[in-house]
mmCIF file with all atom_site columns, all heavy atoms in Angstrom:
data_model
loop_
_atom_site.group_PDB
_atom_site.id
_atom_site.type_symbol
_atom_site.label_atom_id
_atom_site.label_alt_id
_atom_site.label_comp_id
_atom_site.label_asym_id
_atom_site.label_entity_id
_atom_site.label_seq_id
_atom_site.pdbx_PDB_ins_code
_atom_site.Cartn_x
_atom_site.Cartn_y
_atom_site.Cartn_z
_atom_site.occupancy
_atom_site.B_iso_or_equiv
_atom_site.pdbx_formal_charge
_atom_site.auth_seq_id
_atom_site.auth_comp_id
_atom_site.auth_asym_id
_atom_site.auth_atom_id
_atom_site.pdbx_PDB_model_num
ATOM   1  N  N   . CYS A 1 26 ? -5.992  6.033  13.000 1.00 93.00 ? 26  CYS A N   1
ATOM   2  C  CA  . CYS A 1 26 ? -6.193  7.447  13.261 1.00 93.00 ? 26  CYS A CA  1
ATOM   3  C  C   . CYS A 1 26 ? -5.638  7.820  14.635 1.00 93.00 ? 26  CYS A C   1
ATOM   4  O  O   . CYS A 1 26 ? -5.970  7.189  15.632 1.00 93.00 ? 26  CYS A O   1
ATOM   5  C  CB  . CYS A 1 26 ? -7.677  7.781  13.183 1.00 93.00 ? 26  CYS A CB  1
ATOM   6  S  SG  . CYS A 1 26 ? -8.026  9.483  13.666 1.00 93.00 ? 26  CYS A SG  1
ATOM   7  N  N   . LYS A 1 27 ? -4.786  8.863  14.661 1.00 92.00 ? 27  LYS A N   1
ATOM   8  C  CA  . LYS A 1 27 ? -4.163  9.275  15.926 1.00 92.00 ? 27  LYS A CA  1
ATOM   9  C  C   . LYS A 1 27 ? -5.160  9.965  16.835 1.00 92.00 ? 27  LYS A C   1
ATOM   10 O  O   . LYS A 1 27 ? -4.938  10.089 18.035 1.00 92.00 ? 27  LYS A O   1
ATOM   11 C  CB  . LYS A 1 27 ? -3.001  10.231 15.632 1.00 92.00 ? 27  LYS A CB  1
ATOM   12 C  CG  . LYS A 1 27 ? -1.787  9.514  15.060 1.00 92.00 ? 27  LYS A CG  1
ATOM   13 C  CD  . LYS A 1 27 ? -0.512  10.267 15.450 1.00 92.00 ? 27  LYS A CD  1
ATOM   14 C  CE  . LYS A 1 27 ? 0.725   9.425  15.223 1.00 92.00 ? 27  LYS A CE  1
ATOM   15 N  NZ  . LYS A 1 27 ? 1.344   9.621  13.933 1.00 92.00 ? 27  LYS A NZ  1
ATOM   16 N  N   . ALA A 1 28 ? -6.273  10.450 16.279 1.00 94.00 ? 28  ALA A N   1
ATOM   17 C  CA  . ALA A 1 28 ? -7.239  11.182 17.093 1.00 94.00 ? 28  ALA A CA  1
ATOM   18 C  C   . ALA A 1 28 ? -8.294  10.260 17.693 1.00 94.00 ? 28  ALA A C   1
ATOM   19 O  O   . ALA A 1 28 ? -8.633  10.385 18.860 1.00 94.00 ? 28  ALA A O   1
ATOM   20 C  CB  . ALA A 1 28 ? -7.895  12.277 16.266 1.00 94.00 ? 28  ALA A CB  1
ATOM   21 N  N   . CYS A 1 29 ? -8.826  9.294  16.894 1.00 95.00 ? 29  CYS A N   1
ATOM   22 C  CA  . CYS A 1 29 ? -9.934  8.476  17.404 1.00 95.00 ? 29  CYS A CA  1
ATOM   23 C  C   . CYS A 1 29 ? -9.655  6.984  17.370 1.00 95.00 ? 29  CYS A C   1
ATOM   24 O  O   . CYS A 1 29 ? -10.471 6.198  17.835 1.00 95.00 ? 29  CYS A O   1
ATOM   25 C  CB  . CYS A 1 29 ? -11.225 8.796  16.637 1.00 95.00 ? 29  CYS A CB  1
ATOM   26 S  SG  . CYS A 1 29 ? -11.267 8.109  14.965 1.00 95.00 ? 29  CYS A SG  1
ATOM   27 N  N   . GLY A 1 30 ? -8.518  6.564  16.829 1.00 95.00 ? 30  GLY A N   1
ATOM   28 C  CA  . GLY A 1 30 ? -8.156  5.149  16.845 1.00 95.00 ? 30  GLY A CA  1
ATOM   29 C  C   . GLY A 1 30 ? -8.793  4.323  15.738 1.00 95.00 ? 30  GLY A C   1
ATOM   30 O  O   . GLY A 1 30 ? -8.682  3.106  15.727 1.00 95.00 ? 30  GLY A O   1
ATOM   31 N  N   . TRP A 1 31 ? -9.469  4.959  14.817 1.00 93.00 ? 31  TRP A N   1
ATOM   32 C  CA  . TRP A 1 31 ? -10.143 4.264  13.704 1.00 93.00 ? 31  TRP A CA  1
ATOM   33 C  C   . TRP A 1 31 ? -9.117  3.619  12.788 1.00 93.00 ? 31  TRP A C   1
ATOM   34 O  O   . TRP A 1 31 ? -8.152  4.270  12.376 1.00 93.00 ? 31  TRP A O   1
ATOM   35 C  CB  . TRP A 1 31 ? -10.942 5.309  12.925 1.00 93.00 ? 31  TRP A CB  1
ATOM   36 C  CG  . TRP A 1 31 ? -11.908 4.772  11.920 1.00 93.00 ? 31  TRP A CG  1
ATOM   37 C  CD1 . TRP A 1 31 ? -11.697 4.601  10.587 1.00 93.00 ? 31  TRP A CD1 1
ATOM   38 C  CD2 . TRP A 1 31 ? -13.271 4.382  12.164 1.00 93.00 ? 31  TRP A CD2 1
ATOM   39 N  NE1 . TRP A 1 31 ? -12.836 4.125  9.981  1.00 93.00 ? 31  TRP A NE1 1
ATOM   40 C  CE2 . TRP A 1 31 ? -13.817 3.976  10.929 1.00 93.00 ? 31  TRP A CE2 1
ATOM   41 C  CE3 . TRP A 1 31 ? -14.073 4.328  13.310 1.00 93.00 ? 31  TRP A CE3 1
ATOM   42 C  CZ2 . TRP A 1 31 ? -15.134 3.528  10.810 1.00 93.00 ? 31  TRP A CZ2 1
ATOM   43 C  CZ3 . TRP A 1 31 ? -15.377 3.880  13.186 1.00 93.00 ? 31  TRP A CZ3 1
ATOM   44 C  CH2 . TRP A 1 31 ? -15.898 3.483  11.942 1.00 93.00 ? 31  TRP A CH2 1
ATOM   45 N  N   . VAL A 1 33 ? -7.821  2.931  9.467  1.00 87.00 ? 33  VAL A N   1
ATOM   46 C  CA  . VAL A 1 33 ? -8.106  3.545  8.168  1.00 87.00 ? 33  VAL A CA  1
ATOM   47 C  C   . VAL A 1 33 ? -7.392  2.777  7.059  1.00 87.00 ? 33  VAL A C   1
ATOM   48 O  O   . VAL A 1 33 ? -6.176  2.676  7.057  1.00 87.00 ? 33  VAL A O   1
ATOM   49 C  CB  . VAL A 1 33 ? -7.647  5.019  8.148  1.00 87.00 ? 33  VAL A CB  1
ATOM   50 C  CG1 . VAL A 1 33 ? -8.030  5.681  6.830  1.00 87.00 ? 33  VAL A CG1 1
ATOM   51 C  CG2 . VAL A 1 33 ? -8.263  5.792  9.314  1.00 87.00 ? 33  VAL A CG2 1
ATOM   52 N  N   . CYS A 1 46 ? -9.016  10.873 8.379  1.00 94.00 ? 46  CYS A N   1
ATOM   53 C  CA  . CYS A 1 46 ? -9.771  9.759  8.947  1.00 94.00 ? 46  CYS A CA  1
ATOM   54 C  C   . CYS A 1 46 ? -11.240 9.874  8.514  1.00 94.00 ? 46  CYS A C   1
ATOM   55 O  O   . CYS A 1 46 ? -11.844 10.924 8.674  1.00 94.00 ? 46  CYS A O   1
ATOM   56 C  CB  . CYS A 1 46 ? -9.646  9.833  10.464 1.00 94.00 ? 46  CYS A CB  1
ATOM   57 S  SG  . CYS A 1 46 ? -10.758 8.725  11.344 1.00 94.00 ? 46  CYS A SG  1
ATOM   58 N  N   . PRO A 1 47 ? -11.850 8.796  7.956  1.00 94.00 ? 47  PRO A N   1
ATOM   59 C  CA  . PRO A 1 47 ? -13.246 8.898  7.509  1.00 94.00 ? 47  PRO A CA  1
ATOM   60 C  C   . PRO A 1 47 ? -14.228 8.990  8.683  1.00 94.00 ? 47  PRO A C   1
ATOM   61 O  O   . PRO A 1 47 ? -15.374 9.367  8.483  1.00 94.00 ? 47  PRO A O   1
ATOM   62 C  CB  . PRO A 1 47 ? -13.459 7.598  6.720  1.00 94.00 ? 47  PRO A CB  1
ATOM   63 C  CG  . PRO A 1 47 ? -12.425 6.656  7.222  1.00 94.00 ? 47  PRO A CG  1
ATOM   64 C  CD  . PRO A 1 47 ? -11.252 7.493  7.667  1.00 94.00 ? 47  PRO A CD  1
ATOM   65 N  N   . ASN A 1 48 ? -13.774 8.647  9.884  1.00 95.00 ? 48  ASN A N   1
ATOM   66 C  CA  . ASN A 1 48 ? -14.660 8.684  11.048 1.00 95.00 ? 48  ASN A CA  1
ATOM   67 C  C   . ASN A 1 48 ? -14.696 10.062 11.703 1.00 95.00 ? 48  ASN A C   1
ATOM   68 O  O   . ASN A 1 48 ? -15.750 10.677 11.828 1.00 95.00 ? 48  ASN A O   1
ATOM   69 C  CB  . ASN A 1 48 ? -14.225 7.628  12.055 1.00 95.00 ? 48  ASN A CB  1
ATOM   70 C  CG  . ASN A 1 48 ? -15.164 7.554  13.239 1.00 95.00 ? 48  ASN A CG  1
ATOM   71 O  OD1 . ASN A 1 48 ? -16.374 7.514  13.069 1.00 95.00 ? 48  ASN A OD1 1
ATOM   72 N  ND2 . ASN A 1 48 ? -14.611 7.557  14.431 1.00 95.00 ? 48  ASN A ND2 1
ATOM   73 N  N   . CYS A 1 49 ? -13.541 10.601 12.104 1.00 96.00 ? 49  CYS A N   1
ATOM   74 C  CA  . CYS A 1 49 ? -13.530 11.893 12.797 1.00 96.00 ? 49  CYS A CA  1
ATOM   75 C  C   . CYS A 1 49 ? -12.995 13.008 11.901 1.00 96.00 ? 49  CYS A C   1
ATOM   76 O  O   . CYS A 1 49 ? -12.984 14.165 12.303 1.00 96.00 ? 49  CYS A O   1
ATOM   77 C  CB  . CYS A 1 49 ? -12.713 11.805 14.093 1.00 96.00 ? 49  CYS A CB  1
ATOM   78 S  SG  . CYS A 1 49 ? -10.933 11.688 13.826 1.00 96.00 ? 49  CYS A SG  1
ATOM   79 N  N   . LEU A 1 50 ? -12.542 12.652 10.700 1.00 96.00 ? 50  LEU A N   1
ATOM   80 C  CA  . LEU A 1 50 ? -12.072 13.604 9.678  1.00 96.00 ? 50  LEU A CA  1
ATOM   81 C  C   . LEU A 1 50 ? -10.772 14.325 10.053 1.00 96.00 ? 50  LEU A C   1
ATOM   82 O  O   . LEU A 1 50 ? -10.386 15.290 9.403  1.00 96.00 ? 50  LEU A O   1
ATOM   83 C  CB  . LEU A 1 50 ? -13.150 14.634 9.309  1.00 96.00 ? 50  LEU A CB  1
ATOM   84 C  CG  . LEU A 1 50 ? -14.543 14.100 8.961  1.00 96.00 ? 50  LEU A CG  1
ATOM   85 C  CD1 . LEU A 1 50 ? -15.448 15.242 8.533  1.00 96.00 ? 50  LEU A CD1 1
ATOM   86 C  CD2 . LEU A 1 50 ? -14.482 13.049 7.875  1.00 96.00 ? 50  LEU A CD2 1
ATOM   87 N  N   . THR A 1 51 ? -10.107 13.852 11.120 1.00 96.00 ? 51  THR A N   1
ATOM   88 C  CA  . THR A 1 51 ? -8.829  14.451 11.496 1.00 96.00 ? 51  THR A CA  1
ATOM   89 C  C   . THR A 1 51 ? -7.744  14.023 10.501 1.00 96.00 ? 51  THR A C   1
ATOM   90 O  O   . THR A 1 51 ? -7.749  12.904 10.018 1.00 96.00 ? 51  THR A O   1
ATOM   91 C  CB  . THR A 1 51 ? -8.443  14.005 12.918 1.00 96.00 ? 51  THR A CB  1
ATOM   92 O  OG1 . THR A 1 51 ? -9.435  14.481 13.819 1.00 96.00 ? 51  THR A OG1 1
ATOM   93 C  CG2 . THR A 1 51 ? -7.092  14.562 13.335 1.00 96.00 ? 51  THR A CG2 1
HETATM 94 ZN ZN1 . ZN  B 2 .  ? -10.274 9.567  13.440 1.00 56.02 ? 201 ZN  B ZN1 1
#
Side-chain angles (χ1 to χ4, degrees):
C26 174
K27 286 209 165 93
C29 74
W31 192 264
V33 184
C46 169
N48 184 47
C49 72
L50 310 184
T51 298

